[in-house]
Amino acid sequence: MAVSGAALFRDKAKLSFDYVPDRLLHRDRQIHRLQSLFRPLLDAGSPSTAFLHGSVGTGKTHVARRFAAEFGKAAAEAGKAVESAVVNCRQRMGDDAILLAILRKFDERFPDRGFSIPEKLATLRGQLERRRAHLLLVLDEIDALLKKSGPQLVYTFTRWAEEGGRSTVSLVLISSKADALEKLDPASRSTFRRGNAIEFPKYGRAELLDIARFRADLAFHPGTVPEEVLDLIADLAEEEGDARPVIELLLYAGLQAEDEGARELTPEHVRIGRGEVRGTDAAERIRGLDLTRKLVLLAIARKARKQLSVTTGEAENAYAVVCEEFGEKKRGHTQFWKYVRELDALGLIDAKLSGEGLVGKTTIISVTEIPAKALVTQIEGSLRSRAAPTK
Ligand code: ADP
Ligand code: MG
């Protein structure tokens, strides 16, 4: 554990999944749609509904949580009492557990046993009427509830006002599946008209880069997360198009850098962090390579430990050095190229054309899948365990 060097982290908790940032980048459209869907509630007190859908890590939960909190404040300013409850249906399985979570909002000590579902519903009605409050209920991961308990609870909430009394309920349902509401009964489904659905598309690379920068600024001291690190993180997260790997990679890379007593994060910290995030099957894949391919990969990995990406020329030079070191005959340029493309196809390296070379196009090779440090260690280990190299 290094103790020297300036601290990297300003606040690690800002990289926790539970932290709700006060701003969500690139989600203005979704937030505005929610605001306009719920405008009638502010103006006339009429309940509304919304359905948020999009794949995991696209910001649905956090948009809903922020919206619920801010809407409550806006309503208070408009002289209306709006209580909000956000319940995750996967964590609280079943109608009973969900109702209990809602009731605990109003009464922290509401007992977890001894009340039936109808009694819980009656209690909730009583709570809302006493406060003359509207309930804005967010049911996150609604598909878990529909699968386990069916549509009954959602039905009850969509018909809330018709069951008598003066309290009203608005529903925001969230799912990663666009067709989640097909499991609702027809009556409830008609409440969720198509116009109430809000899509959360995947993030593009530029958006992921903004999110990375935004979270890095919150979590780390200024000047400790260089642009190339953010770039690599955006590259790695792009395939999934989701903000969670961005946050995970920042955290793990930061922890790795901290362990090393580094003054700033490097691409290598990201790669090592990534190995920890997903666990790597590097050993398995490397074992399948023959000696020549191992040498090519080792050359690239050694270079990549020090720099974000490697040109073909640099890789070929490093390969020559490695061949010398291990007493192996160096293959020609065309052969070398073939190996690079194979390693790319195996997902061990990433080779792509860049338009920026001195002599027109050049190929840029990077190691994204497995930390370069882990690759070097693995390959050197596997080469040493064969017949001792002539050195
Ligand atoms: P979902 O519910 O769609 O799976 P979340 O709302 O839980 O996604 O977001 C996953 C993580 O990514 C959270 O830590 C969240 O704060 C962060 N995040 C998602 N979108 C953004 C964004 N646009 N700006 C900043 N952070 C984001
Ligand atoms: Mg979520």
Side-chain angles (χ1 to χ4, degrees), residues 64-373:
R65 283 215 235 164
R66 279 238 75 78
F67 174 72
E70 276 160 23
F71 192 81
K73 277 188 230 150
E77 280 163 26
K80 301 214 160 57
V82 171
E83 296 286 346
S84 64
V86 182
V87 184
N88 184 298
C89 300
R90 202 174 300 282
Q91 285 160 9
R92 313 221 167 229
M93 281 295 231
D95 294 359
D96 212 32
I98 287 168
L99 281 169
L100 181 63
I102 302 168
L103 283 166
R104 288 257 166 95
K105 247 208 78 95
F106 298 102
D107 177 3
E108 268 175 40
R109 281 170 308 183
F110 191 90
D112 55 5
R113 285 158 194 278
F115 291 88
S116 66
I117 288 180
E119 285 165 338
K120 286 197 177 80
L121 286 167
T123 309
L124 179 58
R125 244 175 227 291
Q127 291 281 14
L128 293 172
E129 300 218 348
R130 198 165 320 136
R131 289 160 202 251
R132 298 177 186 286
H134 176 87
L135 176 64
L136 172 62
L137 177 59
V138 180
L139 296 179
D140 199 353
E141 309 208 44
I142 187 67
D143 38 294
L145 175 70
L146 296 177
K147 194 166 168 204
K148 166 126 205 262
S149 314
Q152 185 59 43
L153 189 66
V154 175
Y155 178 81
T156 303
F157 283 118
T158 55
R159 306 283 122 177
W160 189 262
E162 283 145 50
E163 297 295 312
R166 280 180 330 200
S167 63
T168 46
V169 175
S170 284
L171 274 182
V172 175
L173 304 185
I174 306 178
S175 174
S176 60
K177 302 183 185 80
D179 61 0
L181 299 192
E182 280 170 18
K183 293 210 191 77
L184 289 179
D185 58 284
S188 312
R189 213 185 312 148
S190 71
T191 319
F192 287 88
R193 295 180 308 276
R194 191 171 305 168
N196 293 11
I198 304 178
E199 192 196 346
F200 284 64
K202 292 190 175 207
Y203 295 112
R205 190 189 179 284
E207 294 172 328
L208 292 166
L209 183 61
D210 286 342
I211 293 172
R213 192 177 288 118
F214 171 64
R215 298 298 283 250
D217 287 347
L218 286 172
F220 293 94
H221 287 294
T224 58
V225 187
E227 202 61 26
E228 58 170 353
V229 165
L230 299 175
D231 265 328
L232 176 59
I233 289 177
D235 279 344
L236 292 170
E238 187 184 3
E239 199 172 317
E240 283 134 297
D242 140 20
R244 287 174 322 161
V246 169
I247 292 159
E248 261 175 334
L249 287 168
L250 277 173
L251 177 63
Y252 279 82
L255 293 174
Q256 179 64 28
E258 193 176 51
D259 272 1
E260 292 176 12
R263 288 166 182 281
E264 59 171 37
L265 275 66
T266 64
E268 183 63 7
H269 294 139
V270 177
R271 291 184 200 113
I272 296 169
R274 187 175 202 229
E276 282 167 29
V277 174
R278 341 213 116 187
T280 121
D281 57 350
E284 214 31 64
R285 276 191 269 174
I286 291 164
R287 207 169 294 143
L289 300 176
D290 67 13
L291 177 60
T292 317
R293 289 169 181 80
K294 275 181 187 156
L295 293 174
V296 173
L297 184 56
L298 177 60
I300 293 168
R302 281 185 178 172
K303 275 268 156 203
R305 285 194 64 173
K306 296 181 204 99
Q307 54 200 68
L308 178 56
S309 56
V310 182
T311 64
T312 332
E314 288 171 327
E316 207 166 353
N317 290 341
Y319 168 61
V321 174
V322 167
C323 282
E324 266 234 291
E325 180 183 333
F326 287 89
E328 280 297 323
K329 187 174 157 292
K330 181 179 164 299
R331 308 296 169 106
H333 180 76
T334 317
Q335 286 282 81
F336 178 79
W337 236 125
K338 193 184 115 204
Y339 296 134
V340 167
R341 280 204 309 264
E342 275 183 28
L343 294 170
D344 184 28
L346 284 170
L348 287 162
I349 60 171
D350 187 29
K352 58 181 167 215
L353 268 184
S354 121
E356 288 150 35
L358 282 175
V359 279
K361 289 199 176 122
T362 173
T363 298
I364 299 289
I365 306 169
S366 54
V367 177
T368 49
E369 189 61 24
I370 296 158
K373 182 166 124 187

